[in-house]
Amino acid sequence: MRKSVNEENYAKLERIYEKYRAIMYREAYNILHDVNDAEDAVQQSFLKLINYMDRIKEEEVGMTCNFLKIVVRNIAIDIYKKKLYLNNREDAVDTLDEGITGCSTEVSDLVIDKESVERISKQIEKLPEIYRDVLLLEKVYGYSREET
């Protein structure tokens, strides 16, 4: 259920947008490497944030910034996964066609690697959100422990 945005929350959302949109955009762009997709991720993040305005404390800059980064990162990852899925469906046919011409060991290596990544991803998704976010921040995005 979506909460209505009263004028106070709207003003707060606008202030947060002005202050953090560039940081959020960079975060999304680092994942997506596409201007339009990064902008979409930021917009979707703010639509999601409408429901959490009461939890965002503007005076706690570090916590707010980290929270917004995690929100936009998760949305960017979802966008990336959707694009990857759609592209992989098309590329899979091309890869199989190329594999038939004598590169079957390379194709099998790709399948094994993809299966390993999928297994690891599934295990990471099973982690509690706080641990998953710290793991992603530190190992995938290169943040230090202090930054996470």
Side-chain angles (χ1 to χ4, degrees):
M1 186 169 116
R2 182 172 267 187
K3 296 178 184 175
S4 65
V5 181
N6 62 30
E7 289 198 27
E8 181 181 322
N9 280 343
Y10 180 79
K12 182 178 180 181
L13 186 65
E14 197 170 35
R15 287 189 305 272
I16 290 170
Y17 176 79
E18 290 300 324
K19 186 170 185 175
Y20 295 103
R21 70 177 175 195
I23 293 168
M24 293 172 72
Y25 172 82
R26 279 192 305 273
E27 198 70 33
Y29 186 83
N30 286 337
I31 295 166
L32 298 166
H33 304 288
D34 181 273
V35 172
N36 294 324
D37 289 340
E39 289 173 355
D40 288 346
V42 173
Q43 289 174 357
Q44 288 178 32
S45 297
F46 278 97
L47 289 174
K48 189 172 187 172
L49 289 171
I50 290 170
N51 296 322
Y52 300 98
M53 291 307 297
D54 56 326
R55 295 183 188 177
I56 298 173
K57 308 284 187 247
E58 289 180 88
E59 62 276 0
E60 295 177 8
V61 176
M63 289 183 68
T64 299
C65 187
N66 287 336
F67 176 70
L68 296 174
K69 284 181 179 180
I70 289 170
V71 170
V72 76
R73 184 177 312 113
N74 288 340
I75 289 173
I77 289 169
D78 289 344
I79 291 171
Y80 179 80
K81 284 179 182 178
K82 287 175 189 172
K83 285 185 77 169
L84 187 64
Y85 173 76
L86 294 174
N87 289 337
N88 279 345
R89 290 182 65 188
E90 294 170 6
D91 291 344
V93 173
D94 295 338
T95 303
L96 288 175
D97 288 342
E98 292 170 9
I100 291 171
T101 62
C103 299
S104 61
T105 57
E106 291 179 26
V107 172
S108 66
D109 289 343
L110 290 173
V111 171
I112 290 170
D113 288 341
K114 184 177 178 184
E115 289 174 357
S116 297
V117 169
E118 287 175 359
R119 279 197 313 260
I120 291 168
S121 295
K122 285 180 184 176
Q123 293 302 315
I124 290 171
E125 288 176 7
K126 290 179 183 178
L127 290 171
E129 186 174 5
I130 190 164
Y131 296 118
R132 184 175 60 238
D133 288 342
V134 168
L135 181 67
L136 289 172
L137 286 169
E138 193 175 316
K139 300 300 180 189
V140 177
Y141 301 108
Y143 287 88
S144 69
R145 286 192 187 252
E146 293 79 30
E147 292 174 313
T148 59

